[in-house]
Amino acid sequence: MSDADEYPAMMNMHARCVSIIADLWGAQKGEKAVGTATTGSSEAIHLGGLAMKRRWQEKRTAAGKDTFKPNIIMGANAQVALEKFARYFEVEARILDVSEKSRYRLDPDLVRKNIDENTIGVFVIMGSTYTGHYEPVEEISNILDDFEAKTGVDIPIHVDAASGGFIAPFTHAKAGGTKWNFELPRVKSINTSGHKFGLVYAGVGWIIWRDESYLPKHLVFELHYLGGTEESYTLNFSRPGAQIIGQYYNLIHLGFSGYRAIMENCMANARLLSKSLEATGWYRCVSDIHRQKGQFKFGGVKEAVFGSEDETSADYNAGLPVVAFTLSDQFRQEFPHVKQESVSTLLRAKQYIIPNYPLPPKEENTEILRVVVRESMSMDLLDRLISDIIAVTETLMKAGSADLAALQPGATTVEKQHQSTGTDAKHKAKHMKRPMSQGVHRALKCWTFASKESLRTNGAIGFVPRIADEVDWLPVGQTHRADRLDWPVVALQTLVLSADVRSRTD
């Protein structure tokens, strides 16, 4: 991050941030919490997972057992960074299904069935990317306690609190009445994103271990060539320090009460948006932070009762200020020609980016629209958003099937057919049929049409992405598709492209 000798104040601010965040997360007396800033939660997750893997390997080696088949547990709702850790560091990812029964989060019953002596740890998420639900850290911790009592195998928990790490400590709802942090002995490390609800500009995350004994010594590097002795345990070395200054400023300037006021306001705005959507009868919220504590089912429009001014998040289910919603069953019955993706498309035309995507596997038949309510969501903006969602929905209701055809999902162009979803085998050229098992693939041939005059003038060529086997080639100098092009062309095979050439192509 910086040279500690040259920028001692920066390193002091870094150490103070680590101390403050560790205290927020319930650091215990008698333990020496350690941590570091990272470039974001992805790096922090990798460091937490790597520490769990190394500790597992050390225990297995000391017991004379093999270390060939490590695995890690996570829910299918996990953010991609968790899967990246498993793939990059050669750990089997046991990705467990989520369901409506488990509230679209890690299912404790499946955790119990999938852990074994090779499980290096369990990733538990404080704030699902999909729906904002907190996962049951304490319940999973109890399951792991029982497993250790029966088998002697100690499986740790890493809490991915990318968003929840700066929400649960401050809101009145906390984690819903259960423990989630270092108050649970089985939680060994926690990460968060400073640039999410830590309110810092992009580029900073944090990871804290409950005690320095849980960070294997051989993962810590000592550096002596910068004039003093520094310790480093990050994947990145050189990175900006401005975000650490911003984080420290926020922690000192806002304080606990300032962060609480901001997070409670985010939760209140998210509840208002949720209730407004359900009050229309057109939408049902999959997230449940707007429902009274302990109630998780949608009870119909009659339940969309707006609260009082003195209420807090403690009166409702705990979670992130995320509103995940879908068209109601009644709406789908009355307007079967309206597809939910059209709502997202029309809102984008109004400058809102509200994605529409399916829930994790096994629940992918349910698509959701998702809004993350940040501190910048003013009441005016919230009012405009609600009005625009209603207006867009009314527009779709009044339109006929033919009018909505252009907005409905489906690959209708050549470009869409050849997107990253892949190409049907019958459309592939012969030189694209090399099996993946045979290793590295060479680049496709790019055939180019350019007029002889442009070649002579510009010394370069234009580009048409065509596959050789799909084009009827004519000898050089003849007219290609004479009914549409009336000038001679030349076919060239090249991998060098130029954007400044004017070429007439089919």
Side-chain angles (χ1 to χ4, degrees), residues 133-206:
H133 286 107
Y134 290 157
E135 293 189 333
V137 185
E138 186 170 9
E139 186 176 353
I140 293 171
S141 176
N142 293 336
I143 290 172
L144 299 179
D145 287 344
D146 293 340
F147 184 77
E148 182 178 9
K150 294 176 182 177
T151 65
V153 177
D154 179 13
I155 300 176
I157 289 175
H158 173 86
V159 176
D160 173 20
S163 295
F166 272 103
I167 294 178
F170 296 112
T171 57
H172 291 286
K174 299 190 179 298
T178 60
K179 298 177 181 178
W180 68 275
N181 53 23
F182 295 134
E183 294 177 9
L184 295 171
R186 197 158 293 278
V187 174
K188 309 302 184 187
S189 52
I190 306 172
N191 72 271
T192 194
S193 288
H195 56 238
K196 289 189 174 71
F197 289 93
L199 310 182
V200 184
Y201 26 87
V204 63
W206 299 93

Side-chain angles (χ1 to χ4, degrees), residues 198-453:
L199 310 182
V200 184
Y201 26 87
V204 63
W206 299 93
I207 180 168
I208 310 291
W209 285 271
R210 65 179 305 125
D211 186 76
E212 58 184 355
S213 62
Y214 296 105
L215 176 62
K217 292 295 183 183
H218 64 273
L219 291 181
V220 181
F221 289 83
E222 285 193 358
L223 310 176
H224 303 284
Y225 57 84
L226 294 176
T229 299
E230 294 182 36
E231 290 187 342
S232 173
Y233 40 97
T234 57
L235 300 180
N236 292 305
F237 185 65
S238 298
R239 64 179 186 275
Q243 292 87 346
I244 283 81
I245 297 175
Q247 187 72 82
Y248 183 61
Y249 173 81
N250 280 344
L251 292 171
I252 298 301
H253 174 68
L254 295 173
F256 188 91
S257 59
Y259 266 99
R260 166 163 282 183
I262 291 172
M263 299 311 159
E264 281 291 325
N265 185 63
C266 289
M267 298 300 293
N269 286 341
R271 291 195 299 271
L272 178 58
L273 175 58
S274 300
K275 292 181 179 182
S276 298
L277 291 171
E278 289 192 339
T280 65
W282 303 333
Y283 294 101
R284 169 181 65 86
C285 288
V286 178
S287 53
D288 54 27
I289 55 166
H290 62 297
R291 298 195 176 100
Q292 292 293 320
K293 187 175 181 179
Q295 297 180 12
F296 307 110
K297 294 288 186 179
F298 175 56
V301 177
K302 64 180 184 298
E303 285 195 356
V305 179
F306 296 89
S308 59
E309 292 186 1
D310 60 347
E311 68 181 14
T312 69
S313 60
D315 300 316
Y316 297 88
N317 294 319
L320 302 182
V322 168
V323 182
F325 57 104
T326 184
L327 292 173
S328 66
D329 294 338
Q330 181 181 352
F331 183 93
R332 294 178 190 275
Q333 292 173 2
E334 294 183 17
F335 305 95
H337 64 288
V338 176
K339 305 301 180 185
Q340 192 167 287
E341 186 174 337
S342 301
V343 178
S344 177
T345 302
L346 289 181
L347 285 172
R348 184 175 286 267
K350 292 178 175 288
Q351 306 302 309
Y352 299 104
I353 301 178
I354 300 179
N356 178 77
Y357 53 90
L359 288 172
K362 298 297 178 70
E363 293 291 337
E364 66 270 18
N365 290 333
T366 301
E367 292 185 342
I368 59 172
L369 294 154
R370 186 186 67 136
V371 175
V372 179
V373 179
R374 296 288 303 271
E375 78 286 350
S376 56
M377 176 75 81
S378 65
M379 189 59 67
D380 288 341
L381 179 57
L382 182 61
D383 179 67
R384 196 179 88 186
L385 173 61
I386 295 170
S387 299
D388 285 341
I389 292 176
I390 292 173
V392 162
T393 309
E394 289 179 332
T395 298
L396 293 171
M397 292 163 63
K398 295 175 182 177
S401 300
D403 299 326
L404 297 179
L407 296 175
Q408 308 296 18
T412 57
T413 66
V414 173
E415 288 82 0
K416 287 186 177 180
Q417 290 174 4
H418 291 268
Q419 284 178 345
S420 59
T421 53
T423 305
D424 292 339
K426 64 182 179 181
H427 296 308
K428 292 182 179 178
K430 293 178 181 178
H431 57 273
M432 295 175 65
K433 294 181 178 179
R434 179 183 178 91
M436 294 300 294
S437 60
Q438 294 184 17
V440 178
H441 288 56
R442 63 186 177 84
L444 291 177
K445 294 179 180 178
C446 297
W447 290 91
T448 302
F449 290 112
S451 69
K452 290 182 178 179
E453 183 61 29

